[in-house]
């Protein structure tokens, strides 16, 4: 895999490209218009979780489970997030995204 150079500050386009890469596994599975709308909402929530960390990740999974989604569907989403989406963003890219969005560490 080609090593990507990550700038210290991301442009709007670079941040959008990272989101697109992150969201791709969910959008590949979304066939209908309704599935694409749901995929957009889910990927936006998971993007927030990626940027803010494990506490928000846990809250999102708990919330999805409480919405009445089938437990198997939630597990599929978790597997896709942890195995495909989250690893698609390198640690350097994540640092640049956190800097761009001014994500503060807990207690800071």
């Amino acid at each position: 895999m080609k090593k990507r150079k990550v700038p210290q500050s991301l442009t709007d386009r670079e941040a959008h490209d990272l989101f697109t890469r992150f969201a791709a596994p969910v959008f590949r599975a979304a066939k209908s218009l309704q599935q694409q709308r749901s995929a957009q909402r889910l990927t936006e929530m998971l993007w927030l979780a990626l940027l803010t960390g494990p506490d928000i990740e846990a809250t999102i999974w708990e919330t999805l489970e409480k919405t009445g989604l089938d437990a198997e569907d939630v597990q599929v989403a978790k597997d896709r997030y942890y195995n495909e989406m989250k690893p698609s963003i390198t640690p350097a890219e994540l640092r640049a995204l956190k800097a761009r969005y001014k994500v503060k560490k807990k207690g800071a």
Side-chain angles (χ1 to χ4, degrees), residues 5-19 21 47 51 89 92-101:
K5 185 176 186 308
V6 181
Q8 292 289 42
S9 61
L10 298 172
T11 64
D12 288 345
R13 182 72 196 166
E14 290 165 331
H16 181 268
D17 289 348
L18 289 175
F19 176 79
R21 182 184 345 136
W47 183 248
L51 295 175
I89 305 298
E93 290 167 336
L94 185 55
R95 283 190 302 276
L97 284 164
K98 286 181 177 189
R100 174 183 175 72
Y101 295 115

Side-chain angles (χ1 to χ4, degrees), residues 4-82:
R4 296 174 275 231
K5 185 176 186 308
V6 181
Q8 292 289 42
S9 61
L10 298 172
T11 64
D12 288 345
R13 182 72 196 166
E14 290 165 331
H16 181 268
D17 289 348
L18 289 175
F19 176 79
T20 300
R21 182 184 345 136
F22 172 82
V26 172
F27 278 95
R28 278 194 302 268
K31 305 298 182 213
S32 71
L33 183 58
Q34 181 58 39
Q35 289 173 338
Q36 291 171 1
R37 287 181 183 143
S38 295
Q40 182 68 34
R41 287 190 302 271
L42 177 62
T43 55
E44 287 170 356
M45 286 189 299
L46 294 175
W47 183 248
L48 175 64
L50 175 75
L51 295 175
T52 56
D55 290 345
I56 299 301
E57 287 174 355
T59 299
I60 286 173
W61 300 127
E62 289 170 17
T63 302
L64 288 174
E65 289 167 357
K66 290 176 184 174
T67 63
L69 284 178
D70 185 292
E72 189 175 310
D73 290 339
V74 175
Q75 188 58 51
V76 167
K78 278 184 183 180
D79 291 346
R80 189 155 286 163
Y81 174 72
Y82 288 112

